[in-house]
Amino acid sequence: MTPVIETRSLTREFHVRTPGRRFGRTTVTALSDLTITVDAGEAVGYIGANGAGKSTTIKMLTGILTPTAGEVRTCGLDPMRRRRDLARRIGVVFGQRSQLWWDLPLRDTYPVLAAIHGLPTAEERRRTVELVDALDLGAFLDTPVRQLSLGQRMRGELAAALLHSPELVILDEPTIGLDVLSKAQLREFLRAERAARGTTLLLTTHDMSDIEHLCERVLLVDSGRLAHDGDLASLARTVGAKRVLVVDLATPHPRLPVLTDGAGAPLTVDHVGSEGGGLRHRFAFDTARTSAAAVLTAVSAHAEVRDLAIEEPDIEDVVRHVYSAGLSGA
């Protein structure tokens, strides 16, 4: 099966004016030697700091920019040569740009977009009803876009991008500025859309909870180069991020002895701290070296455990650690 996204040694350079020099130019490499493959039906998070190369990648995937070197295929097509054909097979949502007409209500916008994509009238009406219901747009279908709240407008944008049932949906910061409820509604809709249609999803965002809720795979780009390709758990392991076991004890124990395994050897675990005079303790551990069960057994040997919870590594901290440790250049 042909990948939905495929790049080989994809590179993009820009020539910018050198300050203080009338004719001076400096070459800036926005993306360097990017080789990735995304198969049909995958949900992939494409993350990185500002200026890492995410938007440049999207512009080349959609045919807006021409690569300086390398190859790119989107839905099996050359994005630059087949840009019009490609537009019928992809949907794009930019969190800070709009494809909606500012003075038109959504009800009048969707037929225009459907005509651009060549959808038959019956198909446009069926799909519009489906999206209006799924995204709860009915209450403001007749409201001009300029009068919509940000959350309403983003739901309208998503419906516009999916009106023609694209194979690939590219979302660039789709939840920026949204409240918790609006984010949850968009995420739930995208999960349902993927389940029903097998839609491929490429998501760029600074909101790591979007990645956690929607994506099984993460591509981390740093200074234009691919730094990580895998799931969130493997990204956390790359930087040695630890899980935290939180235990609530039946009686206060301000200080617990050194935790050991069944053979009496000290466990590789860090006591992060305690609360409530010793009723609650936190222990950080590396899953590659020990397990939550081993830590719990060791704690239970010294105190009665009333309750417990496991806190996963904070993904934002993991990404921050990647950059600060310079692992992407390793």
Side-chain angles (χ1 to χ4, degrees):
M1 182 179 293
T2 302
V4 174
I5 296 174
E6 185 175 22
T7 72
R8 296 179 183 175
S9 302
L10 190 62
T11 300
R12 173 67 194 196
E13 297 175 344
F14 294 94
H15 301 288
V16 298
R17 180 176 296 176
T18 303
R21 296 179 60 188
R22 185 175 181 183
F23 300 107
R25 292 289 187 273
T26 301
T27 299
V28 176
T29 302
L31 201 67
S32 178
D33 198 32
L34 180 72
T35 299
I36 60 173
T37 299
V38 176
D39 292 325
E42 281 196 278
V44 179
Y46 192 46
I47 63 176
N50 288 329
K54 304 187 301 297
S55 294
T56 299
T57 305
I58 290 175
K59 289 175 182 177
M60 287 191 286
L61 290 176
T62 55
I64 297 173
L65 283 178
T66 305
T68 303
E71 298 179 5
V72 56
R73 291 291 183 273
T74 307
C75 297
L77 304 176
D78 181 326
M80 284 300 298
R81 296 177 182 273
R82 305 284 300 278
R83 187 174 176 183
R84 179 172 295 183
D85 294 332
L86 180 61
R88 299 180 185 276
R89 300 175 62 179
I90 65 174
V92 184
V93 175
F94 290 102
Q96 301 185 58
R97 291 180 176 84
S98 179
Q99 62 182 316
L100 304 175
W101 279 269
W102 197 241
D103 295 313
L104 289 182
L106 295 177
R107 188 184 301 279
D108 294 337
T109 297
Y110 296 143
V112 176
L113 292 173
I116 291 174
H117 287 294
L119 286 184
T121 301
E123 173 63 16
E124 178 268 320
R125 290 175 178 172
R126 185 199 63 78
R127 182 64 168 151
T128 298
V129 169
E130 185 177 86
L131 291 169
V132 166
D133 181 61
L135 288 165
D136 196 18
L137 305 178
F140 49 87
L141 267 181
D142 294 311
T143 304
V145 170
R146 67 175 184 277
Q147 296 178 12
L148 299 179
S149 69
L150 180 57
Q152 291 171 337
R153 183 173 65 80
M154 288 309 302
R155 281 147 60 194
E157 293 278 2
L158 190 56
L162 293 171
L163 188 63
H164 57 297
S165 304
E167 302 169 36
L168 168 66
V169 177
I170 300 175
L171 305 176
D172 187 9
E173 299 287 358
T175 63
I176 188 169
L178 299 188
D179 57 48
V180 174
L181 179 59
S182 296
K183 287 182 180 182
Q185 289 174 326
L186 256 64
R187 291 168 184 161
E188 182 59 34
F189 170 75
L190 288 169
R191 282 194 293 266
E193 185 75 7
R194 283 190 61 223
R197 297 178 175 274
T199 307
T200 305
L201 177 66
L202 182 68
L203 171 66
T204 75
T205 181
H206 285 89
D207 188 334
M208 290 300 103
S209 59
D210 286 345
I211 302 293
E212 291 175 308
H213 284 88
L214 293 172
C215 302
E216 300 96 17
R217 178 182 168 201
V218 177
L219 301 173
L220 173 64
V221 64
D222 178 24
S223 300
R225 293 182 178 274
L226 186 64
H228 173 82
D229 182 355
D231 58 21
L232 286 173
S234 63
L235 176 59
R237 288 194 297 270
T238 299
V239 297
K242 298 179 179 180
R243 284 182 168 182
V244 174
L245 176 67
V246 183
V247 293
D248 290 340
L249 306 180
T251 57
H253 284 70
R255 293 186 179 181
L256 289 172
V258 174
L259 301 184
T260 59
D261 61 18
L267 287 178
T268 306
V269 60
D270 297 323
H271 184 228
V272 178
S274 62
E275 303 170 18
L279 278 172
R280 171 171 289 180
H281 292 260
R282 280 182 163 82
F283 300 92
F285 62 98
D286 184 346
T287 55
R289 305 181 69 179
T290 190
S291 66
V295 178
L296 178 61
T297 300
V299 173
S300 299
H302 301 287
E304 181 184 349
V305 176
R306 187 182 63 188
D307 200 2
L308 63 90
I310 295 179
E311 297 177 349
E312 298 292 341
D314 185 272
I315 299 303
E316 290 183 346
D317 289 340
V318 170
V319 174
R320 194 177 300 115
H321 193 169
V322 170
Y323 289 117
S324 63
L327 293 179
S328 59

